[in-house]
Amino acid sequence: CLQMRSARESPACLQMRSAREPELEPESEPEVSSTSWSTQGIEVAAGRSITVPVVVEQRSLVAYTFSTAAADTLSGIQYIRFRVVTAAETEASLVDVSLPSGKGSFEAFSGMLMAVLDNEAGWSAVSVAVRVDITPCVQQCALEAYRTRVPLREAILDLDRQIGAQAASRIALEREKSAVDQQIEEVQAHLADLKLRAEQHDVSLASIDESTASLQREREKMYYTLKNAYIFVSPHP
């Protein structure tokens, strides 16, 4: 268990490691409190504009979408100039686009913003649908960090499961190998015993061969003596 990240970790070690890594514990998705303003069909007369104040209480991500509805009788496409400026208008516009529809986002500090639906250059009235969502950056960052952590945590836990399965497989193989090693030791012990018995038989065979050779020599001597005993001896006159 001391080598917590070794490929040889046991399931018990994996549990201890998880206890030491609280980042792997499940967590709830952070709450995000967005402020929204929207309209589905506000009509902006030709040559006119509508300004809507947007309050930003703290540093926030401001997301917007807009789209026009009726078609211009001359071009067949209706445009609206959508602008977002500070209340004092001392700075350049944060957003300034002239399109039939659009969307985007920007970061804003606390203060008052003005969303302007500008149809001053138009020849006819324009029906516009607009939505502005204001999300505090702190909450948005927390949510994005959470969404980054979730798949990483799942991937790590999946790897832990794979490592645990490998550890369990290794334990099973170690047990099997231990049994095989024991069988090998038993076979080797039996083989050593057989070798010892074979060596003893070799000694016994050599002793028998030596004894047999001695007996054969003794027999040859006796047989020679026996042959000599048949030699004819003439009778005395």
Side-chain angles (χ1 to χ4, degrees):
C1 291
L2 294 178
Q3 297 178 348
M4 300 303 295
R5 298 190 180 278
S6 170
R8 300 178 60 180
E9 289 177 314
S10 67
C13 287
L14 291 174
Q15 292 178 359
M16 291 179 61
R17 188 179 71 174
S18 296
R20 295 181 181 181
E21 295 178 336
E23 296 84 0
L24 297 180
E25 292 298 322
E27 59 179 320
S28 300
E29 181 173 325
E31 292 185 2
V32 176
S33 300
S34 298
T35 301
S36 301
W37 169 78
S38 64
T39 177
Q40 293 301 318
I42 186 171
E43 186 172 291
V44 184
R48 302 294 298 274
S49 64
I50 296 177
T51 300
V52 179
V54 178
V55 178
V56 180
E57 296 181 351
Q58 57 180 297
R59 185 178 178 182
S60 301
L61 180 68
V62 181
Y64 62 88
T65 60
F66 67 91
S67 61
T68 59
D72 186 278
T73 56
L74 297 178
S75 64
I77 300 175
Q78 205 165 37
Y79 288 80
I80 189 71
R81 184 182 180 189
F82 179 76
R83 294 187 295 127
V84 178
V85 297
T86 60
E89 295 194 46
T90 56
E91 302 176 3
S93 297
L94 300 174
V95 179
D96 191 347
V97 293
S98 295
L99 295 168
S101 63
K103 63 180 180 178
S105 63
F106 59 91
E107 191 174 304
F109 293 92
S110 61
M112 179 74 73
L113 300 179
M114 309 299 273
V116 182
L117 306 178
D118 188 341
N119 191 30
E120 294 182 3
W123 292 92
S124 61
V126 179
S127 179
V128 185
V130 183
R131 181 181 178 89
V132 177
D133 295 309
I134 303 172
T135 305
C137 286
V138 172
Q139 297 180 9
Q140 183 66 29
C141 290
L143 179 61
E144 291 176 357
Y146 166 81
R147 290 175 176 173
T148 299
R149 292 193 299 269
V150 168
L152 288 174
R153 183 183 295 111
E154 289 300 322
I156 292 172
L157 292 176
D158 182 61
L159 289 174
D160 282 346
R161 286 189 287 270
Q162 295 182 48
I163 292 172
Q166 294 282 20
S169 297
R170 194 178 196 286
I171 290 173
L173 287 174
E174 283 180 340
R175 290 175 179 171
E176 184 177 347
K177 183 179 181 298
S178 178
V180 172
D181 289 340
Q182 184 176 357
Q183 292 179 6
I184 292 174
E185 290 178 359
E186 293 174 355
V187 170
Q188 288 176 338
H190 183 61
L191 180 60
D193 181 64
L194 291 176
K195 287 183 178 180
L196 178 60
R197 290 171 61 185
E199 291 173 354
Q200 292 174 346
H201 289 333
D202 288 339
V203 172
S204 298
L205 290 171
S207 177
I208 291 173
D209 291 342
E210 184 178 354
S211 177
T212 300
S214 176
L215 292 174
Q216 287 178 342
R217 289 193 296 271
E218 183 68 21
R219 181 183 182 283
E220 289 176 358
K221 291 179 181 180
M222 289 184 178
Y223 184 75
Y224 180 75
T225 301
L226 177 61
K227 285 181 66 175
N228 288 336
Y230 279 97
I231 297 176
F232 180 76
V233 179
S234 299
H236 293 286

